[in-house]
Amino acid sequence: DVPGYNERFKYLDRLFFRRLSHLIWSRAKFTIANSEGLRDLALDTAKQIPIGLIPNGVDVKFWNVSQLKASVSTTLHIISVGRLIPRKGFVYLIKALKGLDVKLTIIGDGPEKDALQDLADQNLINLALLGKLDKEQIRETLESADVFVLSSLNEGMSNAVLEAMACGLPIIMTKVG
């Protein structure tokens, strides 16, 4: 990660990673970031080093949904993908859905899994935590959803958002990255 991106490394960033990153970047032929936000953050570490920008991309042929699905359910199916860590903001997504008749599916695994399930149970949210899936399973699950939500508190250029867009899902996301 670029120094300053991951909150859990803030002390290591100050003591070690900022200097190491500056040293590495100054000796590199090219330094590239995949989002404007990450490039701006990298420039905080190394203002005089030119840092290019090449956004992430996805294979739109693979992620493309061939036909619009005919929804038979009156329950809105919301989907999200990401590691189950605080930075991804799943806690806020679950709390925001309290009292709504929705189905929430989250693809991913991580240390917050049990806490997120407990929070969903407390708020009577229909939550399916699917764990880590391969890309074919992710595409199939995206195809079954009505909307994709990225509730992240900090993000570069989210591949999950690009994949959901390529599948034709409407996107609701936080203003990050």
Side-chain angles (χ1 to χ4, degrees):
D1 285 340
V2 173
Y5 177 73
N6 195 326
E7 180 67 23
R8 71 183 177 145
F9 295 132
K10 72 179 180 181
Y11 298 111
L12 287 173
D13 283 343
R14 284 187 207 145
L15 294 172
F16 182 68
F17 292 140
R18 287 180 72 85
R19 284 181 267 190
L20 179 61
S21 295
H22 188 278
L23 177 67
I24 291 169
W25 297 341
S26 66
R27 293 179 181 184
K29 266 192 172 175
F30 300 102
T31 305
I32 304 294
N34 68 353
S35 73
E36 287 183 28
L38 285 176
R39 179 175 59 188
D40 292 345
L41 195 56
L43 288 171
D44 286 344
T45 297
K47 291 179 184 6
Q48 71 283 10
I49 296 173
I51 298 175
L53 176 64
I54 301 176
N56 290 348
V58 297
D59 179 356
V60 294
K61 288 180 182 172
F62 175 81
W63 292 101
N64 186 29
V65 177
S66 57
Q67 298 177 21
L68 292 175
K69 68 176 183 127
S71 181
V72 294
S73 175
T74 57
T75 301
L76 182 68
H77 183 190
I78 298 170
I79 192 163
S80 193
V81 178
R83 185 151 160 70
L84 306 183
I85 57 174
R87 180 170 44 93
K88 295 297 183 175
F90 293 122
V91 166
Y92 305 106
L93 174 57
I94 292 169
K95 287 180 179 180
L97 298 176
K98 183 176 182 176
L100 300 177
D101 180 25
V102 298
K103 175 183 178 184
L104 174 60
T105 299
I106 300 176
I107 299 171
D109 207 353
E112 285 203 322
K113 182 179 181 178
D114 292 338
L116 292 172
Q117 186 64 64
D118 290 346
L119 181 64
D121 292 346
Q122 292 166 13
N123 287 284
L124 304 174
I125 303 298
N126 178 3
L127 172 63
L129 290 169
L130 301 186
K132 187 176 178 179
L133 302 178
D134 65 34
K135 72 180 192 171
E136 286 83 8
Q137 293 170 310
I138 293 171
R139 182 183 62 197
E140 289 171 12
T141 309
L142 287 172
E143 289 175 346
S144 73
D146 298 307
V147 65
F148 181 93
V149 175
L150 178 84
S151 53
S152 200
L153 304 175
N154 188 1
E155 197 73 39
M157 182 66 219
S158 170
N159 281 353
V161 167
L162 296 175
E163 292 161 359
M165 288 172 65
C167 285
L169 286 173
I171 309 294
I172 299 172
M173 61 188 291
T174 51
K175 187 178 178 181
V176 296

